[in-house]
Amino acid sequence: MSLSSLISKLAGATALVGLSALGVQAQTSGEPVKIGAIVSVTGAGAGLGVPERNGLLLAEKDINAKGGIKGRPIKFIIEDDASNPDTALSKANDLIFGQKVQALLGPSLTASTVAVGGVTHANKIPQIAFTGIGPAVERERKCVAHVLPPQRLNATALLEYAKSINANKIGVLHDAGYGNVVMAELRPLADKYGVKLVAVEKFEIGATDTTTQAAKVKASQPDAVFIIATSATPFRNVKQIQITQPVVAAIGSSSYEYVNAMGPAADNIVIPEFVVGEDPLPHQKAFVELYKQTYNSTPKNYEAAAWDAAHIIAAALNKAGADATGEKLCEAMKAPYSGVLANYDFSADDMTGIPISSFIFSKLVGGKYTRTPFRVTQ
Amino acid sequence: MTPRSLLWLAIGLVVWAVLPFVVPRYIADLLVFTGIYTVAGLGIGLLLGHCGIVNLAQATFYGLGAYASAYCTVMMGLPSIVGFFVGAAISMTLAYVIGRPILRLTGYFLALGTLALSAIASALFFEWDWLTGGTLGIGGIPKLDLFGFLLDRPSRYYFFVWIVAFACMAVARNLVDSRTGLMLRAMRDSSTAAAALSIDLQALRTKVFVVCALFGSLAGSLFAHHASFVSTQSFTVDRSISFLLIPVIGGATSIPGIVVGALFVTFLPELLSKLGDIHQILFGLALVSVVVLMPEGLVGAFGKLRARLTKRSSGHG
């Protein structure tokens, strides 16, 4: 056993002992504080919902071990929306009016978030969504916070990295869903950055072959290639047709599920994101260790987003009172918060307040993430 | 109508009227969805039960209705009623234009033709994001306002949706009991014989397809005003399949069967979801069981059971 692994094991053991010691010290009692959560555990969004559920369950244990909400335990009632906005709406109605939750976390997908926001906004129920802010109507919903960056910020991060490697001609491969949304923000920003989009190729969601589109991107001789999708296919195709230019990918394809599906193609790809479980930032270490001990796997962005959302609502409840809900809880939520994923400020116009400096730029090397030294300062 | 059936009707009406006030809000919400799915399923039931046509394109018309309502109210600021009419007009025109050629097909080929229509429409809903909002969808659709009475919660919207559903059922019943209905049955049982009796099969099928599209569009508009939000995820081929399940499960030839089918597809997944992550597998199993064990649907099976019981009791008597 090397010294470093011995130290990390010792640190992990200390964290666990510390946590259980806290649990002994800080016994919670009384009626649980009920918080609803809607995630996509099945269906197209399961790649997001499953890690989010893990993050929530871990956070619940952690919050209760640290004394809960003013001595009362917190309880997350987690429901699956099967990646369907109609189901999400029914679940929200059940959680809010049936189970009388004080706040709502989730859902995992933008469409479901907008649908559920209609109920939470109208009934003044605080909500923290695991998505970036979506259509214009969400800007009016001042009590629906978001723990993931708006797509404009994701587009900015991609362009910042391109600028840092002096890539002025960019070829883009994107899908018709998530990719389309990021592209809508990327186009106007490209001009601002003096970047020319020499090829923009779109493919269908769930496409099993994007070689034609990748070949067109290659033919345009770009300095770098952006891949904006929730799929491993374009990454494999880009390697197959031997595109040698740097590949920069949006956060949507950062989960291990996609990385594993990329196979040998998961190499030399840069992703602007937040959590590199293999090499966490100092403030992320405790979370990553705890996660690894509990689930025996390495967490990424969505686990951390859910963990943060849970802690944000707990902090707001501790501030506003264990029974707080409605505008009172909402106001308590609107404060800067330093989370594992990012630094938030929910009083910001985009209901997220994540600064570009929260992004880290990771690089996939042989299917494993490494953290690059590049960061963007404000 | 016998006094006994009148009594049952009165009891049914009272239960219907009281229901949204006594059940929790999320059950009322599911009952609203049941009403919406009943409207959409009625069209499919007419095609399947009376023409023998498998329509896998209902999500297209449902989507057209929903997007028409969303676009007219949110983007153009027009009154809600305009969205209903625009959606219905577009859906019926499309059904006519596309129905004329593809309804010449029969059996599996026709089913595949409608499936293709649904797949194309689903792709267009994604691609035409200037019109549909694409993945992000269109949010902030206003709740319906009926003469100053805002239908802003499930217990209020329930009445509106179900009155529309009952009206659609009346239209469907009328159609089935009319001369057209007789022609439909003749065509379903033997299209050659029907054609020999100078029934214009093509025109007849197109007519029912257009009515089906109208119901689909109406349901879509009702959905848009209930959810206040529309996105491509609500109008995929999966939704077309679940609409087809409504008459298959309930009983395609029976109009109350459509309500039973709609109850099945809205409530069963909800009940099963309490059992954890395997709920979708359980729903699949329930579905296969109904189709295999009750080929005439739940209402058909219930009818058979009742007939058997009556026979047994009269045999004993």
Side-chain angles (χ1 to χ4, degrees), chain A residues 53 80 84 86 90-91 93-94 97 110-111 114 177 180 202 205, chain B residues 25-26 29 126-127 129 135-136 223 229 231 233-234 239 273 277 279:
Chain A
R53 184 172 62 179
D80 172 24
N84 183 337
D86 310 2
S90 298
K91 298 286 184 189
N93 269 310
D94 177 24
F97 300 101
T110 305
V114 187
N180 230 18
K202 182 158 77 171
I205 296 172
Chain B
R25 180 164 161 149
Y26 84 102
D29 180 67
F126 256 113
E127 295 291 329
D129 48 5
T135 313
L136 290 182
F223 163 72
F229 172 72
S231 91
Q233 272 157 310
S234 299
R239 183 50 47 86
S273 73
D277 290 354
H279 65 96

PDB file of all heavy atoms in Angstrom, chain A residues 53 80 84 86 90-91 93-94 97 110-111 114 177 180 202 205, chain B residues 25-26 29 126-127 129 135-136 223 229 231 233-234 239 273 277 279:
ATOM      1  N   ARG A  53     -30.690  10.995  -7.506  1.00  0.00           N
ATOM      2  CA  ARG A  53     -31.316  10.321  -6.358  1.00  0.00           C
ATOM      3  C   ARG A  53     -30.241   9.892  -5.355  1.00  0.00           C
ATOM      4  O   ARG A  53     -30.414  10.049  -4.146  1.00  0.00           O
ATOM      5  CB  ARG A  53     -32.130   9.105  -6.831  1.00  0.00           C
ATOM      6  CG  ARG A  53     -32.872   8.435  -5.688  1.00  0.00           C
ATOM      7  CD  ARG A  53     -33.809   7.365  -6.137  1.00  0.00           C
ATOM      8  NE  ARG A  53     -33.085   6.292  -6.816  1.00  0.00           N
ATOM      9  CZ  ARG A  53     -33.680   5.201  -7.309  1.00  0.00           C
ATOM     10  NH1 ARG A  53     -34.992   5.083  -7.234  1.00  0.00           N
ATOM     11  NH2 ARG A  53     -32.975   4.269  -7.911  1.00  0.00           N
ATOM     12  N   ASP A  80     -40.442   9.300  -9.018  1.00  0.00           N
ATOM     13  CA  ASP A  80     -39.897   9.156 -10.374  1.00  0.00           C
ATOM     14  C   ASP A  80     -40.917   9.695 -11.379  1.00  0.00           C
ATOM     15  O   ASP A  80     -42.091   9.323 -11.333  1.00  0.00           O
ATOM     16  CB  ASP A  80     -39.641   7.662 -10.629  1.00  0.00           C
ATOM     17  CG  ASP A  80     -39.249   7.372 -12.074  1.00  0.00           C
ATOM     18  OD1 ASP A  80     -38.743   8.293 -12.751  1.00  0.00           O
ATOM     19  OD2 ASP A  80     -39.436   6.228 -12.526  1.00  0.00           O
ATOM     20  N   ASN A  84     -41.101  12.082 -18.022  1.00  0.00           N
ATOM     21  CA  ASN A  84     -42.287  12.566 -18.723  1.00  0.00           C
ATOM     22  C   ASN A  84     -42.852  13.793 -17.993  1.00  0.00           C
ATOM     23  O   ASN A  84     -43.179  13.701 -16.812  1.00  0.00           O
ATOM     24  CB  ASN A  84     -43.298  11.407 -18.721  1.00  0.00           C
ATOM     25  CG  ASN A  84     -44.552  11.737 -19.464  1.00  0.00           C
ATOM     26  OD1 ASN A  84     -44.899  12.912 -19.636  1.00  0.00           O
ATOM     27  ND2 ASN A  84     -45.237  10.725 -19.915  1.00  0.00           N
ATOM     28  N   ASP A  86     -45.738  15.226 -18.102  1.00  0.00           N
ATOM     29  CA  ASP A  86     -47.120  15.062 -17.605  1.00  0.00           C
ATOM     30  C   ASP A  86     -47.101  14.344 -16.256  1.00  0.00           C
ATOM     31  O   ASP A  86     -47.817  14.716 -15.324  1.00  0.00           O
ATOM     32  CB  ASP A  86     -47.983  14.227 -18.560  1.00  0.00           C
ATOM     33  CG  ASP A  86     -47.899  14.706 -19.994  1.00  0.00           C
ATOM     34  OD1 ASP A  86     -47.136  15.660 -20.241  1.00  0.00           O
ATOM     35  OD2 ASP A  86     -48.577  14.128 -20.853  1.00  0.00           O
ATOM     36  N   SER A  90     -48.249  15.519 -12.308  1.00  0.00           N
ATOM     37  CA  SER A  90     -49.084  14.761 -11.359  1.00  0.00           C
ATOM     38  C   SER A  90     -48.350  14.528 -10.048  1.00  0.00           C
ATOM     39  O   SER A  90     -48.930  14.659  -8.966  1.00  0.00           O
ATOM     40  CB  SER A  90     -49.467  13.394 -11.937  1.00  0.00           C
ATOM     41  OG  SER A  90     -50.229  13.562 -13.090  1.00  0.00           O
ATOM     42  N   LYS A  91     -47.051  14.193 -10.158  1.00  0.00           N
ATOM     43  CA  LYS A  91     -46.256  13.932  -8.951  1.00  0.00           C
ATOM     44  C   LYS A  91     -46.147  15.211  -8.111  1.00  0.00           C
ATOM     45  O   LYS A  91     -46.207  15.159  -6.881  1.00  0.00           O
ATOM     46  CB  LYS A  91     -44.853  13.449  -9.314  1.00  0.00           C
ATOM     47  CG  LYS A  91     -44.828  12.153 -10.078  1.00  0.00           C
ATOM     48  CD  LYS A  91     -45.144  10.979  -9.181  1.00  0.00           C
ATOM     49  CE  LYS A  91     -45.021   9.690  -9.968  1.00  0.00           C
ATOM     50  NZ  LYS A  91     -45.504   8.540  -9.238  1.00  0.00           N
ATOM     51  N   ASN A  93     -48.279  17.671  -7.967  1.00  0.00           N
ATOM     52  CA  ASN A  93     -49.574  17.889  -7.314  1.00  0.00           C
ATOM     53  C   ASN A  93     -49.720  16.998  -6.092  1.00  0.00           C
ATOM     54  O   ASN A  93     -50.225  17.433  -5.055  1.00  0.00           O
ATOM     55  CB  ASN A  93     -50.707  17.602  -8.304  1.00  0.00           C
ATOM     56  CG  ASN A  93     -51.110  18.840  -9.064  1.00  0.00           C
ATOM     57  OD1 ASN A  93     -51.351  19.901  -8.477  1.00  0.00           O
ATOM     58  ND2 ASN A  93     -51.142  18.745 -10.378  1.00  0.00           N
ATOM     59  N   ASP A  94     -49.270  15.746  -6.222  1.00  0.00           N
ATOM     60  CA  ASP A  94     -49.351  14.811  -5.103  1.00  0.00           C
ATOM     61  C   ASP A  94     -48.464  15.278  -3.954  1.00  0.00           C
ATOM     62  O   ASP A  94     -48.906  15.352  -2.799  1.00  0.00           O
ATOM     63  CB  ASP A  94     -48.920  13.418  -5.584  1.00  0.00           C
ATOM     64  CG  ASP A  94     -48.918  12.391  -4.459  1.00  0.00           C
ATOM     65  OD1 ASP A  94     -49.652  12.604  -3.483  1.00  0.00           O
ATOM     66  OD2 ASP A  94     -48.190  11.400  -4.546  1.00  0.00           O
ATOM     67  N   PHE A  97     -49.854  18.948  -2.590  1.00  0.00           N
ATOM     68  CA  PHE A  97     -51.187  19.012  -1.975  1.00  0.00           C
ATOM     69  C   PHE A  97     -51.553  17.742  -1.209  1.00  0.00           C
ATOM     70  O   PHE A  97     -52.359  17.787  -0.295  1.00  0.00           O
ATOM     71  CB  PHE A  97     -52.241  19.310  -3.040  1.00  0.00           C
ATOM     72  CG  PHE A  97     -51.988  20.608  -3.739  1.00  0.00           C
ATOM     73  CD1 PHE A  97     -51.399  20.620  -4.993  1.00  0.00           C
ATOM     74  CD2 PHE A  97     -52.272  21.810  -3.118  1.00  0.00           C
ATOM     75  CE1 PHE A  97     -51.124  21.820  -5.633  1.00  0.00           C
ATOM     76  CE2 PHE A  97     -52.002  23.006  -3.744  1.00  0.00           C
ATOM     77  CZ  PHE A  97     -51.417  23.010  -5.004  1.00  0.00           C
ATOM     78  N   THR A 110     -35.536  19.650 -18.374  1.00  0.00           N
ATOM     79  CA  THR A 110     -36.058  21.006 -18.554  1.00  0.00           C
ATOM     80  C   THR A 110     -37.571  21.021 -18.752  1.00  0.00           C
ATOM     81  O   THR A 110     -38.272  21.806 -18.118  1.00  0.00           O
ATOM     82  CB  THR A 110     -35.372  21.677 -19.759  1.00  0.00           C
ATOM     83  OG1 THR A 110     -33.971  21.609 -19.546  1.00  0.00           O
ATOM     84  CG2 THR A 110     -35.787  23.111 -19.914  1.00  0.00           C
ATOM     85  N   ALA A 111     -38.071  20.129 -19.633  1.00  0.00           N
ATOM     86  CA  ALA A 111     -39.510  20.143 -19.915  1.00  0.00           C
ATOM     87  C   ALA A 111     -40.310  19.918 -18.633  1.00  0.00           C
ATOM     88  O   ALA A 111     -41.276  20.644 -18.359  1.00  0.00           O
ATOM     89  CB  ALA A 111     -39.835  19.076 -20.948  1.00  0.00           C
ATOM     90  N   VAL A 114     -40.219  23.035 -16.320  1.00  0.00           N
ATOM     91  CA  VAL A 114     -41.119  24.122 -16.710  1.00  0.00           C
ATOM     92  C   VAL A 114     -42.563  23.757 -16.354  1.00  0.00           C
ATOM     93  O   VAL A 114     -43.327  24.597 -15.879  1.00  0.00           O
ATOM     94  CB  VAL A 114     -40.983  24.452 -18.213  1.00  0.00           C
ATOM     95  CG1 VAL A 114     -41.793  25.683 -18.556  1.00  0.00           C
ATOM     96  CG2 VAL A 114     -39.532  24.683 -18.588  1.00  0.00           C
ATOM     97  N   GLY A 177     -31.724  17.898 -29.651  1.00  0.00           N
ATOM     98  CA  GLY A 177     -32.374  18.277 -28.398  1.00  0.00           C
ATOM     99  C   GLY A 177     -31.528  19.250 -27.609  1.00  0.00           C
ATOM    100  O   GLY A 177     -31.508  20.455 -27.876  1.00  0.00           O
ATOM    101  N   ASN A 180     -29.260  21.496 -29.618  1.00  0.00           N
ATOM    102  CA  ASN A 180     -29.945  22.617 -30.273  1.00  0.00           C
ATOM    103  C   ASN A 180     -30.067  23.816 -29.343  1.00  0.00           C
ATOM    104  O   ASN A 180     -29.906  24.965 -29.749  1.00  0.00           O
ATOM    105  CB  ASN A 180     -31.350  22.153 -30.659  1.00  0.00           C
ATOM    106  CG  ASN A 180     -31.666  22.452 -32.092  1.00  0.00           C
ATOM    107  OD1 ASN A 180     -30.770  22.690 -32.885  1.00  0.00           O
ATOM    108  ND2 ASN A 180     -32.934  22.448 -32.418  1.00  0.00           N
ATOM    109  N   LYS A 202     -25.965  18.961 -37.440  1.00  0.00           N
ATOM    110  CA  LYS A 202     -26.933  18.481 -36.445  1.00  0.00           C
ATOM    111  C   LYS A 202     -27.281  17.027 -36.728  1.00  0.00           C
ATOM    112  O   LYS A 202     -27.301  16.609 -37.882  1.00  0.00           O
ATOM    113  CB  LYS A 202     -28.189  19.345 -36.546  1.00  0.00           C
ATOM    114  CG  LYS A 202     -29.259  19.002 -35.556  1.00  0.00           C
ATOM    115  CD  LYS A 202     -30.206  20.150 -35.315  1.00  0.00           C
ATOM    116  CE  LYS A 202     -31.212  20.326 -36.430  1.00  0.00           C
ATOM    117  NZ  LYS A 202     -32.248  21.304 -36.085  1.00  0.00           N
ATOM    118  N   ILE A 205     -31.623  12.962 -32.097  1.00  0.00           N
ATOM    119  CA  ILE A 205     -31.409  12.396 -30.763  1.00  0.00           C
ATOM    120  C   ILE A 205     -31.451  10.870 -30.887  1.00  0.00           C
ATOM    121  O   ILE A 205     -32.308  10.333 -31.584  1.00  0.00           O
ATOM    122  CB  ILE A 205     -32.530  12.850 -29.801  1.00  0.00           C
ATOM    123  CG1 ILE A 205     -32.454  14.348 -29.632  1.00  0.00           C
ATOM    124  CG2 ILE A 205     -32.436  12.151 -28.459  1.00  0.00           C
ATOM    125  CD1 ILE A 205     -33.596  14.925 -28.878  1.00  0.00           C
TER     126      ILE A 205
ATOM    127  N   ARG B  25     -56.027  16.361  -4.318  1.00  0.00           N
ATOM    128  CA  ARG B  25     -55.826  17.132  -5.534  1.00  0.00           C
ATOM    129  C   ARG B  25     -55.128  16.341  -6.645  1.00  0.00           C
ATOM    130  O   ARG B  25     -55.442  16.483  -7.819  1.00  0.00           O
ATOM    131  CB  ARG B  25     -55.013  18.390  -5.202  1.00  0.00           C
ATOM    132  CG  ARG B  25     -54.771  19.253  -6.425  1.00  0.00           C
ATOM    133  CD  ARG B  25     -54.339  20.625  -6.038  1.00  0.00           C
ATOM    134  NE  ARG B  25     -53.686  21.283  -7.148  1.00  0.00           N
ATOM    135  CZ  ARG B  25     -53.715  22.574  -7.349  1.00  0.00           C
ATOM    136  NH1 ARG B  25     -54.374  23.359  -6.529  1.00  0.00           N
ATOM    137  NH2 ARG B  25     -53.080  23.109  -8.363  1.00  0.00           N
ATOM    138  N   TYR B  26     -54.177  15.493  -6.258  1.00  0.00           N
ATOM    139  CA  TYR B  26     -53.465  14.808  -7.326  1.00  0.00           C
ATOM    140  C   TYR B  26     -54.326  13.752  -7.999  1.00  0.00           C
ATOM    141  O   TYR B  26     -54.168  13.452  -9.174  1.00  0.00           O
ATOM    142  CB  TYR B  26     -52.131  14.234  -6.827  1.00  0.00           C
ATOM    143  CG  TYR B  26     -52.195  12.886  -6.162  1.00  0.00           C
ATOM    144  CD1 TYR B  26     -51.803  11.744  -6.870  1.00  0.00           C
ATOM    145  CD2 TYR B  26     -52.602  12.741  -4.858  1.00  0.00           C
ATOM    146  CE1 TYR B  26     -51.834  10.506  -6.272  1.00  0.00           C
ATOM    147  CE2 TYR B  26     -52.637  11.509  -4.258  1.00  0.00           C
ATOM    148  CZ  TYR B  26     -52.256  10.390  -4.963  1.00  0.00           C
ATOM    149  OH  TYR B  26     -52.303   9.175  -4.365  1.00  0.00           O
ATOM    150  N   ASP B  29     -56.284  15.642 -10.393  1.00  0.00           N
ATOM    151  CA  ASP B  29     -55.420  15.922 -11.533  1.00  0.00           C
ATOM    152  C   ASP B  29     -55.396  14.723 -12.485  1.00  0.00           C
ATOM    153  O   ASP B  29     -55.502  14.871 -13.700  1.00  0.00           O
ATOM    154  CB  ASP B  29     -54.012  16.220 -10.998  1.00  0.00           C
ATOM    155  CG  ASP B  29     -53.024  16.521 -12.083  1.00  0.00           C
ATOM    156  OD1 ASP B  29     -53.205  17.570 -12.731  1.00  0.00           O
ATOM    157  OD2 ASP B  29     -52.096  15.732 -12.301  1.00  0.00           O
ATOM    158  N   PHE B 126     -39.637  18.702 -33.029  1.00  0.00           N
ATOM    159  CA  PHE B 126     -38.287  18.965 -32.533  1.00  0.00           C
ATOM    160  C   PHE B 126     -37.587  20.034 -33.370  1.00  0.00           C
ATOM    161  O   PHE B 126     -36.996  20.977 -32.851  1.00  0.00           O
ATOM    162  CB  PHE B 126     -37.441  17.683 -32.625  1.00  0.00           C
ATOM    163  CG  PHE B 126     -37.226  17.014 -31.323  1.00  0.00           C
ATOM    164  CD1 PHE B 126     -37.786  15.777 -31.056  1.00  0.00           C
ATOM    165  CD2 PHE B 126     -36.459  17.617 -30.352  1.00  0.00           C
ATOM    166  CE1 PHE B 126     -37.595  15.147 -29.848  1.00  0.00           C
ATOM    167  CE2 PHE B 126     -36.250  16.995 -29.138  1.00  0.00           C
ATOM    168  CZ  PHE B 126     -36.823  15.753 -28.887  1.00  0.00           C
ATOM    169  N   GLU B 127     -37.659  19.845 -34.693  1.00  0.00           N
ATOM    170  CA  GLU B 127     -36.865  20.685 -35.599  1.00  0.00           C
ATOM    171  C   GLU B 127     -37.411  22.106 -35.728  1.00  0.00           C
ATOM    172  O   GLU B 127     -36.645  23.046 -35.823  1.00  0.00           O
ATOM    173  CB  GLU B 127     -36.815  20.041 -36.994  1.00  0.00           C
ATOM    174  CG  GLU B 127     -36.097  18.708 -37.029  1.00  0.00           C
ATOM    175  CD  GLU B 127     -34.596  18.847 -36.789  1.00  0.00           C
ATOM    176  OE1 GLU B 127     -34.025  19.881 -37.152  1.00  0.00           O
ATOM    177  OE2 GLU B 127     -34.014  17.907 -36.203  1.00  0.00           O
ATOM    178  N   ASP B 129     -38.205  24.579 -34.078  1.00  0.00           N
ATOM    179  CA  ASP B 129     -38.234  25.199 -32.746  1.00  0.00           C
ATOM    180  C   ASP B 129     -38.712  26.658 -32.760  1.00  0.00           C
ATOM    181  O   ASP B 129     -39.127  27.180 -31.739  1.00  0.00           O
ATOM    182  CB  ASP B 129     -36.891  25.042 -32.025  1.00  0.00           C
ATOM    183  CG  ASP B 129     -35.706  25.415 -32.876  1.00  0.00           C
ATOM    184  OD1 ASP B 129     -35.933  25.897 -33.999  1.00  0.00           O
ATOM    185  OD2 ASP B 129     -34.560  25.222 -32.425  1.00  0.00           O
ATOM    186  N   THR B 135     -36.976  21.590 -27.793  1.00  0.00           N
ATOM    187  CA  THR B 135     -36.833  20.870 -26.526  1.00  0.00           C
ATOM    188  C   THR B 135     -37.314  21.701 -25.349  1.00  0.00           C
ATOM    189  O   THR B 135     -37.840  21.172 -24.378  1.00  0.00           O
ATOM    190  CB  THR B 135     -35.351  20.519 -26.309  1.00  0.00           C
ATOM    191  OG1 THR B 135     -34.850  19.976 -27.528  1.00  0.00           O
ATOM    192  CG2 THR B 135     -35.165  19.539 -25.199  1.00  0.00           C
ATOM    193  N   LEU B 136     -37.097  23.009 -25.411  1.00  0.00           N
ATOM    194  CA  LEU B 136     -37.486  23.862 -24.280  1.00  0.00           C
ATOM    195  C   LEU B 136     -38.995  24.037 -24.173  1.00  0.00           C
ATOM    196  O   LEU B 136     -39.515  24.340 -23.111  1.00  0.00           O
ATOM    197  CB  LEU B 136     -36.834  25.238 -24.412  1.00  0.00           C
ATOM    198  CG  LEU B 136     -35.324  25.299 -24.209  1.00  0.00           C
ATOM    199  CD1 LEU B 136     -34.843  26.722 -24.331  1.00  0.00           C
ATOM    200  CD2 LEU B 136     -34.948  24.747 -22.840  1.00  0.00           C
ATOM    201  N   PHE B 223     -55.142  19.678 -22.942  1.00  0.00           N
ATOM    202  CA  PHE B 223     -53.905  19.365 -22.214  1.00  0.00           C
ATOM    203  C   PHE B 223     -53.045  20.626 -22.042  1.00  0.00           C
ATOM    204  O   PHE B 223     -52.526  20.890 -20.949  1.00  0.00           O
ATOM    205  CB  PHE B 223     -53.127  18.278 -22.970  1.00  0.00           C
ATOM    206  CG  PHE B 223     -51.693  18.164 -22.546  1.00  0.00           C
ATOM    207  CD1 PHE B 223     -51.359  17.616 -21.320  1.00  0.00           C
ATOM    208  CD2 PHE B 223     -50.669  18.625 -23.363  1.00  0.00           C
ATOM    209  CE1 PHE B 223     -50.029  17.513 -20.918  1.00  0.00           C
ATOM    210  CE2 PHE B 223     -49.340  18.536 -22.969  1.00  0.00           C
ATOM    211  CZ  PHE B 223     -49.023  17.987 -21.742  1.00  0.00           C
ATOM    212  N   PHE B 229     -47.978  24.167 -20.212  1.00  0.00           N
ATOM    213  CA  PHE B 229     -46.669  24.001 -20.818  1.00  0.00           C
ATOM    214  C   PHE B 229     -46.728  22.878 -21.841  1.00  0.00           C
ATOM    215  O   PHE B 229     -47.326  21.851 -21.583  1.00  0.00           O
ATOM    216  CB  PHE B 229     -45.661  23.639 -19.723  1.00  0.00           C
ATOM    217  CG  PHE B 229     -44.318  23.262 -20.256  1.00  0.00           C
ATOM    218  CD1 PHE B 229     -43.497  24.231 -20.791  1.00  0.00           C
ATOM    219  CD2 PHE B 229     -43.887  21.938 -20.247  1.00  0.00           C
ATOM    220  CE1 PHE B 229     -42.261  23.887 -21.305  1.00  0.00           C
ATOM    221  CE2 PHE B 229     -42.652  21.596 -20.756  1.00  0.00           C
ATOM    222  CZ  PHE B 229     -41.838  22.578 -21.285  1.00  0.00           C
ATOM    223  N   SER B 231     -44.171  20.615 -24.590  1.00  0.00           N
ATOM    224  CA  SER B 231     -42.857  20.367 -25.172  1.00  0.00           C
ATOM    225  C   SER B 231     -42.923  19.074 -25.959  1.00  0.00           C
ATOM    226  O   SER B 231     -43.859  18.292 -25.804  1.00  0.00           O
ATOM    227  CB  SER B 231     -41.786  20.265 -24.097  1.00  0.00           C
ATOM    228  OG  SER B 231     -41.638  18.937 -23.685  1.00  0.00           O
ATOM    229  N   GLN B 233     -41.646  16.354 -25.695  1.00  0.00           N
ATOM    230  CA  GLN B 233     -41.697  15.084 -24.960  1.00  0.00           C
ATOM    231  C   GLN B 233     -43.105  14.550 -24.752  1.00  0.00           C
ATOM    232  O   GLN B 233     -43.275  13.373 -24.473  1.00  0.00           O
ATOM    233  CB  GLN B 233     -41.020  15.240 -23.606  1.00  0.00           C
ATOM    234  CG  GLN B 233     -39.541  14.950 -23.711  1.00  0.00           C
ATOM    235  CD  GLN B 233     -38.773  15.601 -22.586  1.00  0.00           C
ATOM    236  OE1 GLN B 233     -38.927  16.788 -22.322  1.00  0.00           O
ATOM    237  NE2 GLN B 233     -37.941  14.853 -21.926  1.00  0.00           N
ATOM    238  N   SER B 234     -44.112  15.430 -24.881  1.00  0.00           N
ATOM    239  CA  SER B 234     -45.487  14.961 -24.674  1.00  0.00           C
ATOM    240  C   SER B 234     -46.115  14.404 -25.952  1.00  0.00           C
ATOM    241  O   SER B 234     -47.224  13.896 -25.909  1.00  0.00           O
ATOM    242  CB  SER B 234     -46.357  16.088 -24.133  1.00  0.00           C
ATOM    243  OG  SER B 234     -45.868  16.526 -22.904  1.00  0.00           O
ATOM    244  N   ARG B 239     -46.474   8.279 -26.951  1.00  0.00           N
ATOM    245  CA  ARG B 239     -47.804   8.780 -26.587  1.00  0.00           C
ATOM    246  C   ARG B 239     -48.856   8.216 -27.541  1.00  0.00           C
ATOM    247  O   ARG B 239     -49.952   7.852 -27.135  1.00  0.00           O
ATOM    248  CB  ARG B 239     -47.777  10.320 -26.621  1.00  0.00           C
ATOM    249  CG  ARG B 239     -49.029  11.036 -26.215  1.00  0.00           C
ATOM    250  CD  ARG B 239     -49.633  10.588 -24.905  1.00  0.00           C
ATOM    251  NE  ARG B 239     -48.709  10.460 -23.794  1.00  0.00           N
ATOM    252  CZ  ARG B 239     -48.351  11.454 -22.992  1.00  0.00           C
ATOM    253  NH1 ARG B 239     -48.860  12.639 -23.144  1.00  0.00           N
ATOM    254  NH2 ARG B 239     -47.498  11.255 -22.022  1.00  0.00           N
ATOM    255  N   SER B 273     -46.182   2.861  -9.472  1.00  0.00           N
ATOM    256  CA  SER B 273     -44.930   3.581  -9.206  1.00  0.00           C
ATOM    257  C   SER B 273     -44.576   3.561  -7.720  1.00  0.00           C
ATOM    258  O   SER B 273     -43.439   3.786  -7.342  1.00  0.00           O
ATOM    259  CB  SER B 273     -44.996   5.014  -9.722  1.00  0.00           C
ATOM    260  OG  SER B 273     -45.828   5.769  -8.898  1.00  0.00           O
ATOM    261  N   ASP B 277     -38.661   0.910  -8.645  1.00  0.00           N
ATOM    262  CA  ASP B 277     -38.162   1.071 -10.011  1.00  0.00           C
ATOM    263  C   ASP B 277     -38.716   0.073 -11.023  1.00  0.00           C
ATOM    264  O   ASP B 277     -38.602   0.281 -12.217  1.00  0.00           O
ATOM    265  CB  ASP B 277     -36.633   0.982 -10.016  1.00  0.00           C
ATOM    266  CG  ASP B 277     -35.998   2.188  -9.360  1.00  0.00           C
ATOM    267  OD1 ASP B 277     -36.759   3.116  -9.015  1.00  0.00           O
ATOM    268  OD2 ASP B 277     -34.776   2.202  -9.180  1.00  0.00           O
ATOM    269  N   HIS B 279     -41.689  -0.491 -11.696  1.00  0.00           N
ATOM    270  CA  HIS B 279     -43.085  -0.192 -12.047  1.00  0.00           C
ATOM    271  C   HIS B 279     -43.377  -0.289 -13.531  1.00  0.00           C
ATOM    272  O   HIS B 279     -44.450  -0.696 -13.935  1.00  0.00           O
ATOM    273  CB  HIS B 279     -43.511   1.152 -11.457  1.00  0.00           C
ATOM    274  CG  HIS B 279     -42.803   2.346 -11.994  1.00  0.00           C
ATOM    275  ND1 HIS B 279     -43.319   3.096 -13.003  1.00  0.00           N
ATOM    276  CD2 HIS B 279     -41.628   2.917 -11.663  1.00  0.00           C
ATOM    277  CE1 HIS B 279     -42.496   4.100 -13.259  1.00  0.00           C
ATOM    278  NE2 HIS B 279     -41.455   4.005 -12.465  1.00  0.00           N
TER     279      HIS B 279
END
